Amino acid sequence: THTHTHTVAASCAKSASVVTLPVLPVVMMSVCLCLCPAVQSQNLVTDNVAVVEGEVAVISCRVKNNDDSVIQLLNPNRQTIYFRDVRPLKDARFQLVNFSDNELRVSLSNVTLSDEGRYVCQLYTDPPQEAYADITVLIPPGNPIIESREGQVIEGNETEMTCTAMGSKPAATIRWMKGDKELQGKSKVEEMYDTMFTVTSQLTFTVTKEDDGVPVVCIVDHPAVKDVQAQTYLVVHYKPEVKIVVEFPDGLPREGQNMELSCQAKGKPHPQQINWVKVDDDLPSHALITGPDLYIENLNKTYNGTYRCFAANSVGESYDDYILYVYDAPTTTPIPTTATTTTPTTTTISLPEATADSRAGEGAPRAVDHAVIGGVVAVVVFAMLCLLIILGRYFARHKGTYFTHEAKGADDAADADTAIINAEGGHNNSDEKKEYYI
């Protein structure tokens, strides 16, 4: 009984509520057991560490409810790095960061791939406790490299690009961006020595002329680095775009005017050849072609038709049409004249005294009213026509006047015989009668 009592007391030695009892019979042992509080278990914890090669890794061994038990840190080969705050291992890269009853914290500088592995936090209890911290060494990839199947791409064709990220741990992830749009590539992972990886991504897409000058970016995602990328710019060749512009005239083309048409063409490479033709006919004989411009003088309706401009480069040929329709020449209409009001000005005029007029403004010129003059002329002409008509009718009604020398006293004769007898000269004067017509 005495031996058992001391064993119980020893198990309660760390408790402040331990009561020392005399040697009692076995019956009283339960009283002492009831006075001892429950012993709280100690808990040892640690964390895994991921560190970029060449940087510093920190290992922390933490204890909850420590009862002054010893803490130590072991390397993956089970060699003691730190025993409490003492470092038995001859590796100066390990340094003590913090030591207390509840924590042992150690740093490892200039981490290399050989430092990777499982480290052991150990607590000397009965039985001993262990917790494990896995150190993972991250190796960033080298600068990504973009390669293109061809340096210059023709509009409408497919192009192929590859992006390579070499020597990373773990394997990197590659994404593609064309402008502000993400594209999906096909990746292939190749394992190298020392569990390092090379990743190659292949991108294929069809290009348009709008892609010319657009950046294509290869983005490498890796836990060791951020914003690692490479980019290239698309060079797209496309056939010319042609547009005919009328330089003059500004309005509708009319007979007698001159015309100039300009052929505006752009492409990549720049169009080196520009030609003008008239569809289904020949160009006018005196049409002049100067570079991209077509000049036609003195338009007439025989020039009507479709004029076509061709532009060509190494990719292909394009054209644009202009349909010419020549309108009639504008008619010239007299400009209506309106009376204008002028402000009289004081003018000094030297006149003879007999004709001088002292009224203000009398010497100022007066505007001629052409409408009034025309009206007066019309009235005069009308009056003359009327007068001619009247005279014509008058002469038509009075065709002539007859003057005869008849015998005097005929009116007083009783009959014709008497009148003849009484006439002067009788029959002898009858031959002297004359007739006049006016």
Side-chain angles (χ1 to χ4, degrees):
T1 307
H2 176 75
T3 304
H4 186 75
T5 304
H6 280 283
T7 304
V8 173
S11 65
C12 298
K14 299 297 180 180
S15 175
S17 59
V18 173
V19 179
T20 305
L21 298 176
V23 179
L24 296 174
V26 180
V27 205
M28 300 299 297
M29 182 181 66
S30 60
V31 177
C32 177
L33 294 176
C34 294
L35 294 177
C36 294
V39 178
Q40 296 181 355
S41 62
Q42 300 176 87
N43 188 14
L44 178 65
V45 295
T46 187
D47 300 310
N48 294 329
V49 179
V51 59
V52 178
E53 184 181 30
E55 296 186 359
V56 178
V58 177
I59 306 170
S60 176
C61 301
R62 300 182 300 278
V63 181
K64 293 182 179 179
N65 307 317
N66 192 5
D67 59 355
D68 290 335
S69 298
V70 176
I71 308 173
Q72 71 172 351
L73 176 64
L74 309 177
N75 66 12
N77 297 324
R78 306 292 293 190
Q79 296 172 330
T80 302
I81 300 173
Y82 268 91
F83 181 84
R84 297 176 66 89
D85 57 350
V86 179
R87 186 186 52 151
L89 189 68
K90 302 303 180 182
D91 190 342
R93 295 182 303 147
F94 290 98
Q95 294 293 325
L96 183 65
V97 177
N98 181 47
F99 173 73
S100 66
D101 291 340
N102 297 321
E103 184 184 33
L104 173 62
R105 189 189 309 169
V106 178
S107 67
L108 172 60
S109 61
N110 195 22
V111 175
T112 65
L113 194 60
S114 61
D115 295 321
E116 192 174 64
R118 174 166 287 187
Y119 290 73
V120 182
C121 292
Q122 197 173 72
L123 180 66
Y124 281 99
T125 58
D126 187 16
Q129 296 185 35
E130 290 185 353
Y132 306 103
D134 291 328
I135 291 184
T136 302
V137 179
L138 306 176
I139 301 178
N143 292 330
I145 300 172
I146 293 182
E147 295 178 340
S148 179
R149 187 172 60 187
E150 59 269 311
Q152 299 171 349
V153 189
I154 296 178
E155 174 191 11
N157 290 354
E158 277 193 346
T159 186
E160 181 180 298
M161 296 183 176
T162 58
C163 180
T164 304
M166 300 180 62
S168 67
K169 180 180 176 298
T173 303
I174 295 179
R175 296 182 293 117
W176 290 93
M177 295 290 294
K178 186 185 76 172
D180 56 358
K181 182 180 180 181
E182 184 168 355
L183 302 180
Q184 189 65 40
K186 295 180 180 180
S187 296
K188 181 177 68 174
V189 179
E190 181 181 357
E191 186 173 358
M192 303 170 62
Y193 60 91
D194 293 335
T195 64
M196 296 176 64
F197 301 90
T198 294
V199 181
T200 302
S201 180
Q202 185 179 55
L203 177 66
T204 304
F205 62 96
T206 302
V207 298
T208 64
K209 64 175 179 290
E210 288 77 15
D211 292 330
D212 184 47
V214 173
V216 177
V217 184
C218 164
I219 304 172
V220 177
D221 294 328
H222 193 271
V225 289
K226 293 181 179 179
D227 298 330
V228 176
Q229 59 182 356
Q231 73 176 12
T232 185
Y233 291 89
L234 290 170
V235 179
V236 182
H237 284 189
Y238 53 93
K239 64 183 181 180
E241 296 176 338
V242 184
K243 182 181 180 182
I244 296 177
V245 177
V246 180
E247 297 293 342
F248 59 81
D250 293 335
L252 298 175
R254 297 184 180 277
E255 287 186 311
Q257 292 181 329
N258 298 332
M259 168 171 279
E260 182 177 352
L261 302 178
S262 178
C263 183
Q264 299 181 356
K266 61 179 182 178
K268 195 166 187 177
H270 187 76
Q272 299 297 323
Q273 182 180 3
I274 296 178
N275 292 326
W276 282 95
V277 297
K278 186 178 181 184
V279 178
D280 300 329
D281 200 355
D282 295 330
L283 287 172
S285 57
H286 59 280
L288 178 63
I289 298 176
T290 306
D293 300 331
L294 173 65
Y295 183 76
I296 305 175
E297 292 182 341
N298 194 21
L299 292 176
N300 61 66
K301 294 188 177 181
T302 62
Y303 298 161
N304 289 348
T306 301
Y307 292 79
R308 177 169 295 174
C309 170
F310 287 95
N313 61 9
S314 59
V315 179
E317 184 180 69
S318 301
Y319 66 87
D320 188 26
D321 288 340
Y322 175 78
I323 300 175
L324 174 63
Y325 183 83
V326 180
Y327 291 82
D328 293 333
T331 57
T332 304
T333 56
I335 301 175
T337 304
T338 57
T340 57
T341 304
T342 58
T343 303
T345 57
T346 305
T347 306
T348 303
I349 304 176
S350 299
L351 297 174
E353 291 184 3
T355 59
D357 195 341
S358 62
R359 288 179 294 179
E362 196 66 30
R366 295 185 179 181
V368 178
D369 194 334
H370 296 280
V372 173
I373 293 175
V376 172
V377 172
V379 170
V380 171
V381 171
F382 179 74
M384 292 179 67
L385 290 175
C386 292
L387 181 59
L388 290 175
I389 292 171
I390 293 172
L391 290 176
R393 291 176 61 87
Y394 175 80
F395 287 120
R397 297 180 68 180
H398 300 81
K399 290 184 178 180
T401 302
Y402 293 90
F403 295 93
T404 57
H405 296 276
E406 295 181 356
K408 294 181 179 180
D411 292 337
D412 298 331
D415 51 26
D417 294 334
T418 306
I420 293 173
I421 296 172
N422 294 334
E424 296 181 355
H427 291 283
N428 295 329
N429 295 330
S430 60
D431 294 335
E432 296 179 358
K433 286 186 178 179
K434 295 182 178 179
E435 188 175 82
Y436 299 91
Y437 174 75
I438 298 175

